[in-house]
Amino acid sequence: MPNVRLALAQTNPIVGDIKGNMAGILAVVELAAKREADIVVFGEMSATGYPIEDLATRESFILDAELAVRNLASELKSKNLGHIAVVLGHPSMASAQDQTGWAIAHNTASVLLAGEVVGRYAKHHLPNYSVFDEYRTFVSGNDLLTFEHKGLKFSIVICEDIWQAGGPVSELGKANTDVALILNGSPFEIDKDDTRLKLVSELAKKHSCAAAYVNLVGGQDDLVFDGDSIMVDSRARMVARLKQFKTDLVCIDIESKDDLKVVDEHHLTKPNDNWQTWNALVLGLRDYVQKNGFKSVVLGLSGGIDSAICATIASDAIGPENVYGVSMPSIYSSEHSKDDALDLANRRGMNYQVQAIADLVTPFENQLALEGLSVENLQARVRGVILMALSNKDGHLTLTTGNKTELAVGYSTIYGDTVGGYNPLKDVEKTLVWELARWRNEYAKGRGEIEPIPQNSIDKAPSAELRPNQVDQDSLPPYDVLDAILDAYVNRRRSSAEIVGYGFDEAMVNKVLTLVDRSEWKRRQSAIGPKITGMAFGRDRRLPITNKYKG
Amino acid sequence: MPNVRLALAQTNPIVGDIKGNMAGILAVVELAAKREADIVVFGEMSATGYPIEDLATRESFILDAELAVRNLASELKSKNLGHIAVVLGHPSMASAQDQTGWAIAHNTASVLLAGEVVGRYAKHHLPNYSVFDEYRTFVSGNDLLTFEHKGLKFSIVICEDIWQAGGPVSELGKANTDVALILNGSPFEIDKDDTRLKLVSELAKKHSCAAAYVNLVGGQDDLVFDGDSIMVDSRARMVARLKQFKTDLVCIDIESKDDLKVVDEHHLTKPNDNWQTWNALVLGLRDYVQKNGFKSVVLGLSGGIDSAICATIASDAIGPENVYGVSMPSIYSSEHSKDDALDLANRRGMNYQVQAIADLVTPFENQLALEGLSVENLQARVRGVILMALSNKDGHLTLTTGNKTELAVGYSTIYGDTVGGYNPLKDVEKTLVWELARWRNEYAKGRGEIEPIPQNSIDKAPSAELRPNQVDQDSLPPYDVLDAILDAYVNRRRSSAEIVGYGFDEAMVNKVLTLVDRSEWKRRQSAIGPKITGMAFGRDRRLPITNKYKG
């Protein structure tokens, strides 16, 4: 009987940092060698990071990636690691381009052994929906790759190949596959974990093979790869589950396709949804900050829930000592807005300063003779100028804190509260903001820590405080109703007639839908932020600005 | 012998305005009927506007479009126009969705006759490169549609179908096609006109059929459809060419596939490239303004060439009486910057005001203790606040005026000079800005008009004037060198090594490429503007923000 030790390697590559990623891969193989692994499998595009977008259309990038893979094979051999089969993902030049000349590369997995690239698989199903544009950037492959190592037959497929019917994956059984190696770059979405497990289990049963599902981990712009790699045997029993939101390496001994034993410490259960969502937001922010060379963030603290939760996410991500909160009260700001902002900063020990805006706003009002909405927007924009000045001065990344609901209906001042390079709440609707705030406080309490978010920020009626006694519900429906309408319109693409049919007031539905459509130009200029749902604003939802459709 | 009068109808639909577009189509058919046309052909997606992006994934949108097409057929009959065959473009529900459930519709052309939809063609080749995402939004069709009308055989294909090999277009000859009807939504690019004519001519020769190439006209967000529809006979002789940048209707009498005669006034030659580019910029701006319900624009006038040319484009597009120029001098502004701005406004009679920024800037400087780059950016941001306040106050669309070269290297202050909903120069590199300015003045001279752009704005060394005696070339290479490097890197996707190989200084190349890469986050938040080249910033070039690749 064979006994093959398979290592699942969940790494956090940086897009474009081929040298750094390859050094990381080498270090992981060395670690796996110490644990006596016979084969190590990495995630999709682990050599280059993922998604590489139009970098895939640059010849130099593809050639650099290919060279790095060949060099790794040599280096492994020279370090006496040539006996370990290493499976990793990278782009490679396709033998034929698509007709337009844009797609020149395959999305590839290579098998390295004995100093050589001994096998290659090119992804067949190219996702071209949601945030993915792979039909734009890659040429499709057609053939399953099966190779034997230490008496077991391994076959390779990549990510989308198991989400669609047909293609190489249907050959797994015919190829007498013992273990399917599935390389993935699968971003976090609430509830997606269960879908992945189901897919992998069905694949194992259907083709009677064990299956190793290896995902990437880490934030890349608006995506958060959550890891959570899994191994199932040919009877679809889960054998191992890797950490979520962390790099990880787990070895599994394979006697046969239905006799697997995990070597390393591991877990088979997962924390609850709010824990997962919170950690996705934290990892997304941390990696954006670190991978782009920032050390600190600056954001406005209004005393409201959005800025409070953003500051807490940032504190969890990079430490409160690297978070710079700025209270920017106006003549309309309530006392509690200042008190709550200070309370928030003190709870975790963030940096805090007050910059009153009255003396900055008045000269504009006078010189330009402004009144009404222009003055409301002016206040927000003066705050934006302050935050960007502090960012320029001290090198902070500016965070903008508008939640998904605000972004949907355009309840924000462009170039005002929208300024910033990253928005932690971009895909978090208002009702979920409150839920996460309550959860985070409970979580702290359960660990004997100070609750990070002032209860008053959770409890009070939301207000932009841009005029006296203003509250959000002066101009918007209650947030639970608003989020339900938005879920139907934005996430589920329902028509106004259908949404009215669900029982919502027709005038309210029409008002909300009009607000959403009219705000498209603002969303186009908005900061990126982590996708956590099946339909995030940004590349996940592409609508014209000039658009008169009502329906 | 048959004698069929074919009308090519070049219309300017608004995306999503199904009702308005259908009313426009009906009016054109009525006009064609007066000219005794037997068949009228419209452009791609003429019923809904184009591109509809993710509207194609909304069931209600597709069903509304289909219903509107059926209603048009009935209405034509009820108006005794049922004898005219009408060919128009619209989305229709596909019988099977793609596996992801995103693409549910075909990109369709329907033939209306005698009150019915008598034939349908679904686009086969779905462009999914450059600005197009049709593999995301549409299900591909496979079968050529050929129908007989008044003794001639007409076959339908759509746009990309003639740009790629294979598919229904290859059946044109076998179907004994007399006239190929090609419905297009083909955006303007400099030099593209010649490519189109060549393609259509080759198609006609290869399949021995006449060919009617009907394009849309009008601006839609970042695209400008230039019309320029063409008719060739089966020997590839051009018979008619419709107007560029204007709606048009031209009738052609067809005796046989090689015996065609144009009925209406028309032309066969085209104006020069600068005229075309200028008119693309004018139409793009005019349609963005009008289709989005604006009446006027506001922009900063610095006395420099970029704002001068933008104001002139705007004056040509919507009239100088609807253009509001604002001079916003700082303590660093030269006298000529103020004089040249005023001179510009006076030449065409634009609205003009001066808003000095010193009294608005100083309070920020003092309160935040700013110096150096922070102060430079502060000045630009104060100007942004002024323009947006005037926009909010008076309902103007704010124009931002950064050219493609600036956008490439990030030579701008985000939330400062970048504020605005539309950027006429987004795809116009600096060297072309100058060329167009000279051309526009010559053009005016040739027509006995006042040259709109002050010569001094063309001649002086470009400067941001954010500190004393600053000129752009303090921090950037000469613009002709810079544009050449950018052309290689951005437009032609060459590597740094290749660009150095062309003879550019290595340190300069590396500096420029680094600037381009580092500015990606700014470009993501930038205003849209009209695409006029093969590689515009925006959806034409999709690169990660987090990206460490150097090569």
Side-chain angles (χ1 to χ4, degrees), chain A residues 404-411 476 482 485-487 489-491 499 508-523 537 541 543-545 547 549-550, chain B residues 58:
Chain A
K404 186 181 190 179
T405 308
E406 279 185 14
L407 207 65
V409 295
Y411 197 74
L476 297 175
L482 181 53
I485 294 173
L486 291 172
D487 176 59
Y489 186 56
V490 175
N491 302 348
I499 300 170
M508 185 185 283
V509 169
N510 289 337
K511 180 182 169 180
V512 170
L513 270 50
T514 300
L515 287 172
V516 173
D517 294 344
R518 278 200 199 149
S519 310
E520 187 56 35
W521 80 277
K522 284 195 202 179
R523 281 191 294 272
F537 290 120
R541 184 175 186 268
L543 284 170
I545 295 174
N547 171 18
Y549 182 61
K550 305 272 168 224
Chain B
R58 292 196 59 202

Side-chain angles (χ1 to χ4, degrees), chain B residues 378-395:
Chain B
L378 172 63
Q379 296 169 68
R381 293 203 176 102
V382 163
R383 292 186 174 118
V385 174
I386 292 172
L387 291 178
M388 292 309 298
L390 296 173
S391 162
N392 285 160
K393 196 178 160 191
D394 299 321

Side-chain angles (χ1 to χ4, degrees), chain B residues 383-455:
Chain B
R383 292 186 174 118
V385 174
I386 292 172
L387 291 178
M388 292 309 298
L390 296 173
S391 162
N392 285 160
K393 196 178 160 191
D394 299 321
H396 311 304
L397 168 68
T398 307
L399 298 184
T400 175
T401 65
N403 60 67
K404 187 182 191 179
T405 308
E406 279 185 13
L407 207 65
V409 294
Y411 197 74
S412 63
T413 300
I414 189 165
Y415 321 125
D417 44 314
T418 67
V419 308
Y422 193 84
N423 179 358
L425 301 186
K426 182 155 191 176
D427 198 26
V428 185
E429 57 181 12
K430 187 78 178 186
T431 46
L432 183 54
V433 169
W434 276 307
E435 184 178 328
L436 287 174
R438 290 191 195 98
W439 172 85
R440 183 64 184 78
N441 274 359
E442 280 299 313
Y443 183 75
K445 219 165 148 184
R447 295 158 61 99
E449 296 165 358
I450 294 169
E451 294 163 68
I453 300 164
Q455 192 61 36

Side-chain angles (χ1 to χ4, degrees), chain A residues 256-373:
Chain A
S256 70
K257 64 188 183 181
D258 63 354
D259 184 4
L260 279 68
K261 199 155 39 188
V262 64
V263 180
D264 304 286
E265 186 200 357
H266 71 295
H267 65 102
L268 290 177
T269 57
K270 289 181 61 176
N272 67 47
D273 276 355
N274 284 333
W275 182 93
Q276 291 186 43
T277 303
W278 185 269
N279 279 278
L281 300 176
V282 167
L283 179 57
L285 174 57
R286 181 192 300 134
D287 275 3
Y288 188 82
V289 167
Q290 294 180 350
K291 292 180 178 180
N292 287 289
F294 292 99
K295 292 192 167 58
S296 55
V297 300
V298 64
L299 76 169
L301 299 183
S302 69
I305 185 65
D306 293 333
S307 57
I309 203 167
C310 279
T312 306
I313 291 166
S315 295
D316 285 0
I318 58 172
E321 69 279 11
N322 297 312
V323 178
Y324 290 78
V326 189
S327 168
M328 296 176 282
S330 76
I331 54 168
Y332 305 122
S333 295
S334 57
E335 273 311 309
H336 64 73
S337 77
K338 294 173 250 181
D339 297 344
D340 294 341
L342 177 60
D343 182 13
L344 169 81
N346 284 342
R347 281 166 184 257
R348 291 290 294 272
M350 302 164 195
N351 306 281
Y352 179 78
Q353 62 175 292
V354 179
Q355 295 290 350
I357 63 169
D359 296 345
L360 308 171
V361 167
T362 310
F364 284 97
E365 282 184 277
N366 293 341
Q367 181 167 328
L368 299 171
L370 300 176
E371 51 190 23
L373 185 64

Side-chain angles (χ1 to χ4, degrees), chain A residues 57 64 99 130 136 165 493, chain B residues 57 99 130 136 165 493 549:
Chain A
T57 67
D64 283 352
Q99 291 187 39
S130 179
R136 169 188 178 90
R493 311 181 212 193
Chain B
T57 67
Q99 291 186 39
S130 180
R136 170 188 177 91
R493 311 181 213 193
Y549 183 60

